[in-house]
Amino acid sequence: CSTRPLALRIASLGRARAVANGPLAAASDVLAPAAPRPITTIGYMGGSDHAHDFALAVPGLAAFLARYETVRFELFSSMPLPKPLKAFGARVQHLPAVHGYRDFRQAFAVRSWDIGLCPLHDSDFNRLKSDVKWLEYTSTGTAVIASAGVVYDDCCADGRGILVRGDTGWLEALERLTLDPEARAAMVGCAQHHLLANHRPDQLKDQILEAFQETAVRAAQQSTPPPLDKPHRARQ
Protein backbone atom coordinates (compact mmCIF):
# COMPACT_ATOMS: atom_id res chain seq x y z
CA CYS A 1 0.00 0.00 0.00
CA SER A 2 1.16 3.53 -0.69
CA THR A 3 0.63 4.76 2.89
CA ARG A 4 0.42 3.27 6.36
CA PRO A 5 -3.17 4.52 6.96
CA LEU A 6 -4.20 2.80 3.72
CA ALA A 7 -2.44 -0.40 4.76
CA LEU A 8 -4.24 -0.38 8.11
CA ARG A 9 -7.56 0.18 6.37
CA ILE A 10 -7.00 -2.67 3.90
CA ALA A 11 -5.89 -4.97 6.72
CA SER A 12 -9.00 -4.12 8.71
CA LEU A 13 -11.17 -5.49 5.90
CA GLY A 14 -9.70 -8.94 6.52
CA ARG A 15 -9.55 -9.99 2.88
CA ALA A 16 -5.81 -9.87 2.21
CA ARG A 17 -3.32 -12.52 3.26
CA ALA A 18 -0.63 -9.93 3.86
CA VAL A 19 -0.64 -6.13 3.84
CA ALA A 20 2.46 -3.96 3.88
CA ASN A 21 3.62 -0.44 3.15
CA GLY A 22 7.00 1.20 2.79
CA PRO A 23 8.18 4.68 3.78
CA LEU A 24 7.95 5.95 0.17
CA ALA A 25 4.77 6.40 -1.82
CA ALA A 26 6.62 8.01 -4.74
CA ALA A 27 10.01 9.40 -5.71
CA SER A 28 11.53 11.95 -8.06
CA ASP A 29 14.68 13.70 -9.10
CA VAL A 30 14.82 17.51 -8.98
CA LEU A 31 13.64 18.64 -12.41
CA ALA A 32 14.02 22.40 -11.81
CA PRO A 33 16.27 23.67 -8.99
CA ALA A 34 15.05 26.34 -6.58
CA ALA A 35 15.71 29.89 -7.77
CA PRO A 36 14.66 33.33 -6.49
CA ARG A 37 12.42 35.12 -8.98
CA PRO A 38 9.36 37.40 -9.01
CA ILE A 39 6.09 35.57 -8.45
CA THR A 40 4.21 35.40 -11.73
CA THR A 41 2.29 32.09 -11.80
CA ILE A 42 0.20 30.19 -9.26
CA GLY A 43 -1.06 26.73 -10.14
CA TYR A 44 -3.17 23.78 -9.12
CA MET A 45 -3.25 20.32 -10.67
CA GLY A 46 -5.54 17.43 -9.84
CA GLY A 47 -8.22 15.16 -11.23
CA SER A 48 -11.83 16.11 -11.85
CA ASP A 49 -12.80 14.39 -8.59
CA HIS A 50 -10.81 16.99 -6.64
CA ALA A 51 -13.15 19.90 -7.40
CA HIS A 52 -14.52 19.91 -3.84
CA ASP A 53 -10.96 19.99 -2.46
CA PHE A 54 -9.86 22.81 -4.75
CA ALA A 55 -12.93 24.79 -3.67
CA LEU A 56 -11.28 25.30 -0.28
CA ALA A 57 -8.65 27.56 -1.84
CA VAL A 58 -10.79 29.35 -4.45
CA PRO A 59 -12.02 32.28 -2.28
CA GLY A 60 -8.52 33.15 -1.10
CA LEU A 61 -7.07 32.64 -4.57
CA ALA A 62 -9.68 34.93 -6.15
CA ALA A 63 -8.99 37.62 -3.57
CA PHE A 64 -5.27 37.28 -4.24
CA LEU A 65 -5.67 37.61 -8.02
CA ALA A 66 -7.81 40.70 -7.53
CA ARG A 67 -5.10 42.25 -5.40
CA TYR A 68 -2.05 41.27 -7.49
CA GLU A 69 -2.85 42.03 -11.12
CA THR A 70 0.50 40.88 -12.51
CA VAL A 71 0.09 37.29 -11.29
CA ARG A 72 -1.52 34.54 -13.37
CA PHE A 73 -3.22 31.30 -12.38
CA GLU A 74 -3.16 27.95 -14.22
CA LEU A 75 -5.54 25.06 -13.57
CA PHE A 76 -4.00 21.83 -14.86
CA SER A 77 -7.03 19.58 -14.55
CA SER A 78 -10.10 18.17 -16.28
CA MET A 79 -12.35 19.74 -13.64
CA PRO A 80 -14.46 22.76 -14.68
CA LEU A 81 -12.97 26.16 -13.97
CA PRO A 82 -14.65 27.55 -10.82
CA LYS A 83 -16.93 30.48 -11.56
CA PRO A 84 -15.12 33.00 -9.29
CA LEU A 85 -11.95 32.54 -11.37
CA LYS A 86 -13.59 33.17 -14.73
CA ALA A 87 -13.78 36.87 -13.91
CA PHE A 88 -10.01 37.22 -14.42
CA GLY A 89 -10.16 36.46 -18.13
CA ALA A 90 -6.84 35.71 -19.80
CA ARG A 91 -4.99 35.80 -16.49
CA VAL A 92 -6.50 32.38 -15.75
CA GLN A 93 -5.58 29.51 -18.05
CA HIS A 94 -7.33 26.13 -18.01
CA LEU A 95 -4.91 23.45 -19.20
CA PRO A 96 -6.35 20.09 -20.34
CA ALA A 97 -5.43 16.96 -18.47
CA VAL A 98 -2.56 14.84 -19.84
CA HIS A 99 -3.03 11.07 -19.68
CA GLY A 100 -0.14 8.78 -18.86
CA TYR A 101 2.08 9.62 -15.88
CA ARG A 102 5.31 10.02 -17.85
CA ASP A 103 3.67 12.43 -20.32
CA PHE A 104 2.01 14.27 -17.45
CA ARG A 105 5.32 14.80 -15.61
CA GLN A 106 6.97 16.13 -18.77
CA ALA A 107 4.09 18.50 -19.48
CA PHE A 108 3.94 19.66 -15.87
CA ALA A 109 7.67 20.31 -15.55
CA VAL A 110 7.61 23.02 -18.23
CA ARG A 111 4.87 25.05 -16.50
CA SER A 112 7.41 26.68 -14.12
CA TRP A 113 4.88 27.51 -11.43
CA ASP A 114 6.13 29.67 -8.59
CA ILE A 115 3.52 28.45 -6.08
CA GLY A 116 1.41 25.29 -6.15
CA LEU A 117 -1.75 24.74 -4.12
CA CYS A 118 -2.61 21.49 -2.30
CA PRO A 119 -6.06 21.99 -0.72
CA LEU A 120 -7.57 18.83 0.75
CA HIS A 121 -10.70 18.29 2.80
CA ASP A 122 -10.21 16.46 6.08
CA SER A 123 -12.10 13.22 5.45
CA ASP A 124 -11.59 9.51 6.12
CA PHE A 125 -10.91 8.93 2.42
CA ASN A 126 -8.41 11.77 2.04
CA ARG A 127 -6.50 10.65 5.13
CA LEU A 128 -5.58 7.47 3.22
CA LYS A 129 -3.87 9.43 0.44
CA SER A 130 -0.18 10.11 -0.06
CA ASP A 131 1.72 13.40 -0.25
CA VAL A 132 2.72 12.83 -3.88
CA LYS A 133 1.41 16.26 -4.96
CA TRP A 134 3.97 17.89 -2.64
CA LEU A 135 6.67 15.78 -4.30
CA GLU A 136 5.56 16.70 -7.82
CA TYR A 137 5.46 20.42 -7.01
CA THR A 138 8.78 20.35 -5.16
CA SER A 139 10.59 18.53 -7.96
CA THR A 140 9.73 21.34 -10.40
CA GLY A 141 10.87 24.19 -8.13
CA THR A 142 7.35 25.08 -7.00
CA ALA A 143 6.66 26.26 -3.44
CA VAL A 144 3.82 24.41 -1.72
CA ILE A 145 0.81 25.75 0.18
CA ALA A 146 -1.19 22.82 1.53
CA SER A 147 -4.07 21.93 3.81
CA ALA A 148 -3.06 21.14 7.38
CA GLY A 149 -4.14 18.12 9.35
CA VAL A 150 -4.63 15.63 6.51
CA VAL A 151 -1.54 14.23 4.73
CA TYR A 152 0.84 17.16 4.18
CA ASP A 153 1.94 18.00 7.72
CA ASP A 154 5.15 15.94 7.68
CA CYS A 155 6.36 16.85 4.18
CA CYS A 156 5.70 20.56 4.79
CA ALA A 157 7.34 20.58 8.24
CA ASP A 158 10.55 22.49 9.02
CA GLY A 159 10.02 25.15 6.36
CA ARG A 160 9.30 22.82 3.45
CA GLY A 161 5.85 24.28 2.79
CA ILE A 162 3.08 26.41 4.29
CA LEU A 163 0.10 24.74 5.97
CA VAL A 164 -3.34 26.36 6.21
CA ARG A 165 -6.52 25.09 7.85
CA GLY A 166 -9.84 24.79 6.07
CA ASP A 167 -10.74 27.57 3.65
CA THR A 168 -8.97 30.36 5.55
CA GLY A 169 -5.34 31.38 5.26
CA TRP A 170 -4.82 30.83 1.54
CA LEU A 171 -4.71 34.55 0.72
CA GLU A 172 -2.26 35.25 3.54
CA ALA A 173 0.02 32.38 2.50
CA LEU A 174 0.03 33.49 -1.13
CA GLU A 175 0.87 37.06 -0.12
CA ARG A 176 3.64 35.89 2.20
CA LEU A 177 5.49 34.13 -0.61
CA THR A 178 4.72 36.77 -3.23
CA LEU A 179 6.10 39.61 -1.14
CA ASP A 180 9.30 37.70 -0.30
CA PRO A 181 10.66 35.85 -3.36
CA GLU A 182 13.88 35.04 -1.50
CA ALA A 183 11.91 33.26 1.23
CA ARG A 184 9.96 31.37 -1.43
CA ALA A 185 13.19 30.17 -3.06
CA ALA A 186 14.61 29.18 0.33
CA MET A 187 11.47 27.17 1.06
CA VAL A 188 11.77 25.31 -2.23
CA GLY A 189 15.47 24.70 -1.62
CA CYS A 190 14.70 23.23 1.80
CA ALA A 191 11.99 21.02 0.30
CA GLN A 192 14.26 19.83 -2.52
CA HIS A 193 17.04 18.97 -0.06
CA HIS A 194 14.54 16.78 1.80
CA LEU A 195 13.37 15.28 -1.50
CA LEU A 196 16.88 14.29 -2.54
CA ALA A 197 17.66 12.84 0.88
CA ASN A 198 14.47 10.86 1.40
CA HIS A 199 12.53 10.43 -1.87
CA ARG A 200 15.07 9.38 -4.49
CA PRO A 201 14.13 6.97 -7.29
CA ASP A 202 16.87 4.53 -6.23
CA GLN A 203 15.36 4.39 -2.73
CA LEU A 204 11.93 3.64 -4.13
CA LYS A 205 13.42 0.99 -6.43
CA ASP A 206 15.07 -0.74 -3.46
CA GLN A 207 11.79 -0.63 -1.54
CA ILE A 208 9.87 -2.23 -4.42
CA LEU A 209 12.49 -4.93 -5.00
CA GLU A 210 12.49 -5.74 -1.29
CA ALA A 211 8.70 -6.10 -1.39
CA PHE A 212 8.99 -8.44 -4.39
CA GLN A 213 11.60 -10.52 -2.56
CA GLU A 214 9.49 -10.78 0.59
CA THR A 215 6.48 -11.78 -1.49
CA ALA A 216 8.47 -14.47 -3.32
CA VAL A 217 9.71 -15.92 -0.03
CA ARG A 218 6.20 -15.92 1.41
CA ALA A 219 4.77 -17.57 -1.69
CA ALA A 220 7.46 -20.26 -1.62
CA GLN A 221 6.75 -21.01 2.03
CA GLN A 222 3.03 -21.31 1.37
CA SER A 223 3.47 -23.58 -1.65
CA THR A 224 6.05 -25.97 -0.15
CA PRO A 225 4.35 -29.12 1.22
CA PRO A 226 5.29 -30.14 4.75
CA PRO A 227 8.01 -32.80 4.96
CA LEU A 228 6.82 -36.38 5.26
CA ASP A 229 7.78 -38.39 8.31
CA LYS A 230 10.47 -40.96 7.56
CA PRO A 231 9.07 -44.49 7.67
CA HIS A 232 10.22 -46.49 10.64
CA ARG A 233 12.43 -49.43 9.71
CA ALA A 234 10.83 -52.69 10.71
CA ARG A 235 12.59 -54.48 13.50
CA GLN A 236 14.01 -57.85 12.64
Side-chain angles (χ1 to χ4, degrees):
C1 296
S2 57
T3 68
R4 178 161 178 76
L6 179 58
L8 293 174
R9 174 57 180 157
I10 295 296
S12 72
L13 300 178
R15 299 196 177 192
R17 290 184 178 180
V19 181
N21 73 282
L24 300 183
S28 178
D29 296 316
V30 169
L31 305 178
R37 58 182 185 246
I39 307 305
T40 61
T41 309
I42 314 297
Y44 173 82
M45 55 92 169
S48 58
D49 56 335
H50 285 280
H52 66 294
D53 292 317
F54 181 50
L56 288 171
V58 169
L61 174 61
F64 172 83
L65 292 173
R67 190 173 298 182
Y68 295 87
E69 298 181 354
T70 60
V71 181
R72 303 171 56 255
F73 174 73
E74 293 185 349
L75 177 62
F76 195 174
S77 172
S78 57
M79 76 174 67
L81 184 68
K83 186 176 179 179
L85 301 180
K86 294 179 180 180
F88 299 98
R91 290 175 56 205
V92 172
Q93 187 174 2
H94 193 182
L95 307 171
V98 175
H99 300 289
Y101 193 62
R102 183 187 298 273
D103 291 340
F104 159 74
R105 289 299 305 275
Q106 292 175 346
F108 179 59
V110 302
R111 303 316 307 173
S112 298
W113 291 352
D114 301 303
I115 302 171
L117 306 178
C118 295
L120 203 60
H121 272 285
D122 188 359
S123 67
D124 291 340
F125 179 75
N126 281 344
R127 283 179 173 271
L128 304 181
K129 293 183 177 181
S130 73
D131 57 5
V132 65
K133 197 183 297 289
W134 172 90
L135 179 145
E136 291 165 344
Y137 284 161
T138 295
S139 69
T140 61
T142 302
V144 174
I145 303 175
S147 290
V150 191
V151 300
Y152 296 113
D153 291 40
D154 289 342
C155 62
C156 286
D158 301 323
R160 300 189 292 266
I162 297 179
L163 294 167
V164 298
R165 294 199 174 274
D167 58 356
T168 60
W170 298 93
L171 170 60
E172 291 78 6
L174 286 165
E175 284 192 318
R176 172 180 163 186
L177 295 178
T178 300
L179 296 175
D180 195 344
E182 295 286 343
R184 188 210 70 88
M187 178 180 293
V188 176
C190 181
Q192 290 185 339
H193 177 78
H194 182 77
L195 176 75
L196 293 175
N198 300 284
H199 297 271
R200 298 193 312 272
D202 64 297
Q203 294 171 322
L204 181 59
K205 175 184 175 182
D206 290 343
Q207 176 180 292
I208 293 172
L209 292 178
E210 182 179 348
F212 285 167
Q213 180 63 29
E214 292 175 355
T215 301
V217 171
R218 188 181 302 113
Q221 292 172 342
Q222 293 173 349
S223 63
T224 302
L228 297 175
D229 292 336
K230 293 182 180 180
H232 295 288
R233 181 174 298 175
R235 294 183 180 180
Q236 297 180 353

